[in-house]
Amino acid sequence: MGIGELDREAHVPEGRPSGTAGSPRTLAEALRARGDDGLAALLRARPDLLGPVPNDLTQLATRAGTRASVVRALDRLDRFSLQVAETLAVAPDPAPYPVLLDLFTGYDGGHEEPEIEAALPRAVALLREQALVWGDDDRLRLVRTARELLSPSPQHPSPTGLGPTVAESTAGMSPGRIQEIVAAAGLPSTHDPVSAVAALTALFTDRERMAALLDTAPPEALAVLDRLVWGPPYGEVTAKPTPPVSWLRDRGLLLPVSPRTVVLPREVALHLRGGRAHRSPEPRAPEVRVAREYRPQVVDSAAAGQAYGALSTVEELLKSWDHGGPPVLRAGGLSVRDLKRTAAALDVPEPVAAFWLELAYGAGLLASDGEADERYAPTPAYDDWLDQPPAERWARLVTPWLTATRTPRLAGGQDAKGRTLSALGPDLDRAAAPEVRHRVLGLLATLPPGAAADPESLLARLRWERPSRSSGAGASGRPGGAPAAAPAAGAAAEPGAAGPWASEVRTAPAPTQPAAVRPPADLRERLARWVLDDAELLGITGRGALSTAARALLNLPLSEAAPPAAEGGGVEPEVAVERAAELLEPLLPQAVDHVLLQADLTAVAPGPLLRPLADALAVLADVESKGGATVYRFTPGSVRRALDTGRSASDLHAFLAAHSRTPVPQPLAYLVDDVARKHGHLRIGAASAYVRCDDDALLGEILADRRSAALRLRRLAPTVLAAQTDPASLLDGLRSMGYAPAAESAEGDVLITRADVHRTPPRTAPAPVPDGPPTPDATLLAAAVRAIRAGDHAATAVRKEPAVPVTAGGLPRTSAAETLATVQAAAMTGSAVWIGYVNAEGAASQRVIAPVRVEGGFVTGYDHTADEVRTYPLHRITGVAELADEEV
């Protein structure tokens, strides 16, 4: 559909003022009849209509009918509202409300369906609010673009499973063949194809005559209709159809689409269905069931444990990259090999490792350093994060996760071009992620505190709220091609009477809808499952139930008795974060200032350690196991690492004695003294590299050791060895041989290696990638409605006769003298005038102004279009016209 057709749908015919009572004749008229609240509701539901703000209501109606905007609006409908739109697409245009209701309830027996009768007005009101349906209840119209997307045609069937009408199916049929069908159906012949098609349509929509026709049908023919009645309506036939199929084709109950394909006309299908457009209407949203209930205290404790585990995991991950993490791929992101290494280091599966990486990245704690040899490293914000209390650190991780569009669970998969998606890479943003995340957590919040949701019922609810508009009969409640239920009255066949003819017509799928109008069917479901997993990892949920701290963070009621926050109200986000941290803080384990030293060269931390103690112990010992109590092991290598930082043996003894609740075991004291005695006897500097030692026998021992062959050592003096390798490699090589060398400077001083870390320059956290424009706030909506109203007033204002000439763009055209005289007269009388104006950029517009001063080649007045006082150069006004008396 071209823009011209959209303009015709939105155009207000001349001669009918906008305020005329009665049913609107166009969508623009329907919008013009709305109040400001109605326009604001439309712009809130469809924010894409605001980019940019339309000049008037006619332009708004035109924009609301464009394909992209209509597709976006349809994709955001719930299942029943979409079923209503699909039903209007197969109903007469316009359709009275009773006809629409009959297409849901059917006309067999007239039984009441209270759920449909209660839900249908709400669905129609929603469609009307979003400008997908317009007109009064006696003349409901679906916008033209939506009808084209949803209505059946020879190219694609309706989601209801209905096919094209008789008129559409016979559009390319010869007049002689149409007359043959009319005669076989027992109808009198006509003089033209149009009346013949009308007679055939009248027969198929007449319940009594249609029932009489089907009573004469062979049982095998009825069985063929049974296979097509609920869709798909297309079937494949052989080159020589069998008698039952021929009987149906001769009477127009099946119409040919191609030499081997037939279609069941819509009117015939509706009769066989008993007048129902959908086999399974779903007016009520599925209920989210409770899988199990726990005491809220149990849920909060489990969630707090998970939250503390999340903090420990992120800290461990970033600490391992303190001196520079893995390199950045040329295309961006982390390589598969480095992701595997990270997963092994964290002892988690690769998808979970990708989640922790993306969580730190989204919180601004991790980024690339931007160097020539680009690598990942913690940001300066990571150091600030470490200094915060645990509850605030948790809130700082969770808050950006709620709005993030990045989906780390996609890492390792492939994109549309077959390229592997990398963790921290550029192609992991999915615009639907924040919406799904908030909706899943919102549904969890509807359950009582301590109640865990059944995942399948929650997914069913999400599928109802955002169904996939697939082709064929997928939305009618049954898969295409499945056997249909028993036909309606007058078409029933005896059990077992179908015989072999039932397989004569095989259901054939019709061409699918274009990919542009088909959202990914399983993406939202996968996102929802990932949200449940991620929420448990982060401590937002505990044992599947939403925690109290998470309810506060989401600005939700903390108990069933507490009323939910009003829409658009509630507390500020900063206040919600502080409140969540306050609720979580008492549940997290408190940091301790001591360890328990044991005789097996281990130390047990009975809880999280204070930051200075944890940093010092991480240098002096290696983490052996983690959990509720972390176990550290002292080794010669770990003690040497502490000595490399400049500490002496006495410093280490004092540190252990000060922070241990148990006496320092003798084996640990011996280990420290033994390593300290050997530490620094060998000195390594840069020549390319050399080894210096006062003990020439020790150097001879090193030269004689076969393991030193790779270092390519040679004696320069009795106490000096030269190596053809760099000092760092020489240090590592000698340490691997069991020695304890120390690096020295060019002046001969021992180099002390501090626990300095590598940090990136200050980086901002990645911004979410929104799905279309954001929802406008109340201030923007009010300003937009005011501007549209003013522009519409200028566009529809009635001018005095005789009308002034207008340009091709619809602007008034008068001479400079006439323009000056008219605005001067308006300024003297205080009346409003209609002007055409071209700004400095050449953009033309029409405005209604009330001049108050005309001097120096400028006119100053109140601009009704802009709702403010403005000044316009007279030479940029194309023309001016007085308004009719009733418009002034």
Side-chain angles (χ1 to χ4, degrees):
M1 179 176 62
I3 296 298
E5 296 178 359
L6 290 176
D7 290 340
R8 288 195 295 273
E9 183 178 36
H11 177 65
V12 182
E14 295 183 2
R16 178 176 179 177
S18 60
T20 302
S23 298
R25 295 186 294 178
T26 64
L27 177 59
E29 283 190 8
L31 296 179
R32 195 166 284 117
R34 293 190 182 191
D36 289 350
D37 291 342
L39 288 179
L42 168 62
L43 298 176
R44 185 183 300 110
R46 299 175 64 177
D48 57 292
L49 301 180
L50 280 174
V53 176
N55 292 331
D56 51 41
L57 289 171
T58 300
Q59 189 177 96
L60 176 63
T62 301
R63 193 177 298 174
T66 58
R67 183 181 181 88
S69 182
V70 170
V71 167
R72 182 185 295 272
L74 290 176
D75 286 342
R76 282 161 174 73
L77 295 177
D78 60 69
R79 187 178 297 279
F80 187 65
S81 299
L82 183 58
Q83 287 182 332
V84 173
E86 293 164 354
T87 303
L88 282 171
V90 299
D93 186 26
Y97 182 85
V99 172
L100 177 63
L101 179 61
D102 287 344
L103 285 171
F104 276 99
T105 60
Y107 45 64
D108 288 343
H111 57 280
E112 295 183 357
E113 297 194 24
E115 287 189 351
I116 293 179
E117 293 175 359
L120 188 57
R122 293 195 296 267
V124 172
L126 176 65
L127 295 173
R128 188 182 277 132
E129 176 186 280
Q130 298 193 17
L132 295 172
V133 169
W134 58 277
D136 297 333
D137 283 350
D138 58 342
R139 294 179 63 83
L140 294 174
R141 291 181 180 273
L142 193 66
V143 294
R144 185 181 292 111
T145 306
R147 178 173 289 274
E148 292 176 354
L149 289 169
L150 300 176
S151 63
S153 71
Q155 285 72 36
H156 60 83
S158 164
T160 60
L162 294 170
T165 62
V166 173
E168 293 169 343
S169 301
T170 57
M173 191 176 294
S174 66
R177 176 56 184 152
I178 296 177
Q179 294 296 338
E180 292 175 1
I181 294 175
V182 168
L187 299 173
S189 60
T190 62
H191 298 289
D192 60 272
V194 176
S195 57
V197 171
L200 201 60
T201 302
L203 169 64
F204 293 160
T205 54
D206 189 315
R207 295 174 57 192
E208 294 183 0
R209 289 196 294 162
M210 188 64 176
L213 176 62
L214 292 176
D215 285 339
T216 64
E220 296 85 355
L222 296 178
V224 171
L225 295 178
D226 288 348
R227 294 174 60 84
L228 302 176
V229 62
W230 286 106
Y234 294 88
E236 296 179 356
V237 297
T238 59
K240 295 182 179 180
T242 54
V245 177
S246 298
W247 191 93
L248 294 171
R249 290 183 61 178
D250 291 344
R251 289 155 181 79
L253 298 175
L254 292 179
L255 293 173
V257 177
S258 67
R260 300 291 297 272
T261 306
V262 294
V263 65
L264 181 68
R266 187 188 311 172
E267 295 85 351
V268 178
L270 283 173
H271 177 83
L272 296 174
R273 296 180 178 193
R276 288 176 175 266
H278 286 277
R279 187 178 189 183
S280 301
E282 300 183 49
R284 186 166 56 90
E287 182 181 359
V288 179
R289 299 190 300 271
V290 175
R292 190 168 179 179
E293 292 192 53
Y294 305 92
R295 288 186 300 110
Q297 295 82 358
V298 173
V299 170
D300 290 343
S301 297
Q306 290 292 108
Y308 180 74
L311 297 179
S312 301
T313 303
V314 172
E315 184 177 344
E316 178 186 358
L317 168 65
L318 296 182
K319 185 176 291 185
S320 66
W321 291 6
D322 256 347
H323 301 283
V328 181
L329 293 176
R330 182 180 302 176
L334 196 66
S335 69
V336 175
R337 179 183 303 173
D338 289 326
L339 179 60
K340 290 180 181 292
R341 291 173 178 170
T342 303
L346 297 178
D347 194 21
V348 295
E350 292 174 31
V352 178
F355 167 73
W356 293 122
L357 287 168
E358 290 286 348
L359 182 70
Y361 177 64
L365 309 180
L366 174 67
S368 62
D369 58 12
E371 302 291 339
D373 184 16
E374 196 171 16
R375 310 183 77 84
Y376 287 106
T379 65
Y382 168 63
D383 299 313
D384 299 334
W385 179 76
L386 287 176
D387 294 335
Q388 293 178 322
E392 294 182 14
R393 285 193 284 149
W394 175 81
R396 187 168 172 181
L397 288 179
V398 172
T399 303
W401 173 79
L402 291 172
T403 57
T405 55
R406 296 187 63 80
T407 51
R409 307 280 182 158
L410 292 174
Q414 292 185 337
D415 61 9
K417 297 182 178 179
R419 297 173 298 193
T420 301
L421 297 174
S422 304
L424 303 177
D427 300 320
L428 294 183
D429 286 288
R430 296 296 182 272
E435 177 198 347
V436 174
R437 195 175 293 123
H438 279 83
R439 190 56 190 144
V440 168
L441 298 178
L443 290 174
L444 292 178
T446 61
L447 301 178
D454 173 53
E456 294 304 321
S457 66
L458 189 144
L459 293 175
R461 175 64 172 267
L462 291 176
R463 284 192 291 267
W464 185 89
E465 292 181 349
R466 290 290 187 273
S468 173
R469 293 189 302 108
S470 59
S471 61
S476 64
R478 60 181 284 105
E494 295 295 331
W501 308 109
S503 61
E504 172 62 25
V505 175
R506 293 187 295 108
T507 54
T512 57
Q513 295 181 13
V517 299
R518 283 204 321 272
D522 63 335
L523 177 60
R524 292 181 63 86
E525 183 168 333
R526 288 190 293 159
L527 288 173
R529 293 185 185 276
W530 294 336
V531 169
L532 293 175
D533 295 339
D534 297 346
E536 194 73 16
L537 287 174
L538 286 172
I540 292 177
T541 59
R543 301 191 180 185
L546 203 64
S547 68
T548 304
R551 289 177 181 269
L553 186 65
L554 298 170
N555 195 12
L556 297 170
L558 302 182
S559 66
E560 294 178 282
E567 183 176 353
V571 299
E572 294 295 328
E574 296 80 5
V575 178
V577 171
E578 293 178 3
R579 188 181 182 191
E582 292 173 358
L583 291 170
L584 182 64
E585 185 68 38
L587 302 174
L588 294 174
Q590 297 299 313
V592 297
D593 61 353
H594 64 275
V595 295
L596 305 176
L597 296 177
Q598 302 185 105
D600 60 350
L601 298 181
T602 61
V604 178
L609 299 176
L610 293 174
R611 179 64 46 203
L613 175 58
D615 291 341
L617 196 59
V619 177
L620 182 57
D622 298 323
V623 176
E624 187 171 81
S625 65
K626 296 174 293 185
T630 304
V631 177
Y632 294 85
R633 178 164 293 279
F634 299 94
T635 65
S638 67
V639 175
R640 177 199 51 76
R641 188 169 62 231
L643 294 172
D644 284 344
T645 63
R647 292 194 175 191
S648 64
S650 59
D651 294 335
L652 298 183
H653 285 302
F655 171 81
L656 294 173
H659 295 94
S660 175
R661 288 291 176 88
T662 59
V664 179
Q666 191 176 55
L668 179 56
Y670 285 170
L671 175 65
V672 172
D673 292 338
D674 186 53
V675 174
R677 186 168 51 253
K678 299 177 181 179
H679 184 265
H681 280 201
L682 294 176
R683 301 293 183 88
I684 294 178
S688 85
Y690 63 85
V691 181
R692 181 172 66 84
C693 182
D694 294 337
D695 187 355
D696 57 351
L698 180 58
L699 294 183
E701 179 184 337
I702 294 175
L703 280 174
D705 196 325
R706 293 182 179 179
R707 293 176 295 174
S708 67
L711 303 177
R712 302 174 66 183
L713 298 170
R714 63 189 179 91
R715 191 186 293 268
L716 296 180
T719 59
V720 180
L721 297 179
Q724 297 185 24
T725 183
D726 61 276
S729 300
L730 184 55
L731 276 168
D732 293 339
L734 292 179
R735 285 169 180 170
S736 66
M737 294 168 59
Y739 299 98
E744 70 176 9
S745 65
E747 292 77 18
D749 300 324
V750 175
L751 289 176
I752 298 175
T753 57
R754 302 290 185 186
D756 295 332
V757 294
H758 177 59
R759 293 289 182 264
T760 70
R763 295 277 194 262
T764 56
V769 179
D771 182 15
T775 302
D777 56 21
T779 303
L780 176 59
L781 286 175
V785 170
R786 186 167 58 250
I788 294 172
R789 289 284 191 201
D792 196 62
H793 176 68
T796 59
V798 180
R799 271 73 71 181
K800 281 185 178 181
E801 296 293 340
V804 300
V806 295
T807 65
L811 302 180
R813 186 70 177 174
T814 56
S815 65
E818 291 174 327
T819 297
L820 179 60
T822 304
V823 296
Q824 286 177 336
M828 294 175 59
T829 60
S831 58
V833 293
W834 174 53
I835 68 170
Y837 180 72
V838 179
N839 63 15
E841 287 75 28
S845 62
Q846 47 186 320
R847 301 175 177 275
V848 174
I849 66 171
V852 294
R853 184 173 65 252
V854 182
E855 60 183 11
F858 293 88
V859 55
T860 302
Y862 177 75
D863 189 335
H864 291 271
T865 308
D867 194 21
E868 63 182 6
V869 176
R870 289 188 175 181
T871 299
Y872 296 103
L874 285 172
H875 68 276
R876 292 193 176 277
I877 297 177
T878 65
V880 61
E882 298 181 15
L883 301 181
D885 293 339
E886 60 270 18
E887 294 290 332
V888 177

